[in-house]
Amino acid sequence: MSEFKTMPRLIGVAKIALALVAGLMVLLLLALACAVLVIEPDTYRPVVQRQLSAALGREVTIGRLEFGRSLYPTVAITGLQVA
C-alpha cells in the first residue's frame, strides 16, 4: 500500500527535474544565440592566420572572417592566400 503513496511523489520529482533540464537547455541556447550575435569573428583573424601558418609551415593571409547567421551557421573565409 505504501508504494501507491510514493508514486505521485516520484512523478512530481520527475516533472520538476524535467522542467529544470528544459530550462537549462533554453538558457544554453539563448546564451549561444547571444554569443553569435555579439562576437565579431574578424577580431580572431590574426589568431587564425597564425595558427594556420604554423600548421601548414607556410604564410597564410585571410582577407575577412565572417559568421553566417542562419538556421545552418557557417564560417566564411574570404581572401584566403597561402604563400
Side-chain angles (χ1 to χ4, degrees):
M1 191 80 166
S2 65
E3 19 182 277
F4 294 116
K5 290 181 181 180
T6 59
M7 188 61 98
R9 181 179 292 166
L10 288 176
I11 292 173
V13 170
K15 285 182 181 180
I16 291 171
L18 184 61
L20 285 174
V21 169
L24 287 174
M25 289 178 67
V26 167
L27 285 176
L28 180 64
L29 287 174
L30 285 174
L32 182 63
C34 288
V36 167
L37 293 174
V38 171
I39 294 173
E40 181 59 40
D42 204 40
T43 58
Y44 297 102
R45 183 171 36 96
V47 175
V48 173
Q49 284 180 169
R50 204 169 33 251
Q51 289 180 350
L52 285 173
S53 294
L56 296 174
R58 302 176 76 176
E59 184 181 344
V60 175
T61 56
I62 296 173
R64 184 140 173 87
L65 191 61
E66 301 173 339
F67 282 150
R69 296 174 177 107
S70 67
L71 185 59
Y72 301 104
T74 58
V75 176
I77 298 175
T78 56
L80 177 66
Q81 295 179 354
V82 180

